[in-house]
Amino acid sequence: MNPVHKKFSRRARVATGGAVLAVVALAGFGAVSANASAPVTKPTTVAAAPARATTTSTHLTIDAATKAAQAALDAAEKENQRVTVAVVDRNGNTIVTLRGDGAGPQSYESAERKAYTAVSWNAPTSQLAERLEQAPNLKDIPGTLFLAGGVPVTAGDAPIAGIGVAGAPSGALDEKFAQAGANAVAR
């Protein structure tokens, strides 16, 4: 046995070894911490796009979308119809959806898809349903629904939103209620 080991008791050797390990661990942690805070790469600069490379679009505010949805739902309730109303933005993203009391489970998705279809083609979905006779493959486009009940909302003849209603016993009624929502935006 090593003569140094004979001078220390077993307990002293364990305590000394533990202290040495703690110091080594803390030193290693400090080195890792110091390296983790150092930047790995040089920050990149931001490139400014020239005006000719960008466009500006108009979108319906959440307040206007909510007003439109509520107006459509109110119009349906006046006629004792249980519907769902969806308002989507120019990109087809849902802004607001109101599901009326007693509206069927299928009406939620149908209302969103009608709104999406109306804003995508800037036309009421009843007109678009008629176009299917000449172009039946239109119905294969994902996210669309070519049934009456969707109307676009425009600003300067450009579509900025779509309102879809589903759940009434006819598409004509759905579209009537959607139009009431679109009219509320104009007021």
Side-chain angles (χ1 to χ4, degrees), residues 72-121:
L73 188 59
D74 290 346
E77 287 176 349
K78 282 181 186 172
E79 296 191 29
N80 296 316
Q81 298 302 315
R82 296 177 177 98
V83 300
T84 297
V85 181
V87 181
V88 301
D89 68 11
R90 175 60 187 112
N91 301 321
N93 299 311
T94 303
I95 302 171
V96 64
T97 303
L98 296 179
R99 185 167 179 246
D101 294 335
Q106 79 290 351
S107 65
Y108 189 91
E109 183 179 349
S110 297
E112 286 184 329
R113 290 175 62 190
K114 288 178 183 184
Y116 175 83
T117 305
V119 74
S120 295
W121 276 272

Side-chain angles (χ1 to χ4, degrees), residues 57-60 90 122 152-161 185:
S57 62
T58 303
H59 293 269
L60 214 54
R90 175 60 187 112
N122 194 22
V153 177
T154 61
D157 294 328
I160 61 167
V185 173

Side-chain angles (χ1 to χ4, degrees), residues 38-75:
V40 177
T41 60
K42 187 176 179 179
T44 58
T45 58
V46 176
R52 68 181 183 279
T54 64
T55 64
T56 302
S57 62
T58 303
H59 293 269
L60 214 54
T61 66
I62 186 69
D63 290 337
T66 302
K67 180 180 177 181
Q70 190 62 57
L73 188 59
D74 290 346

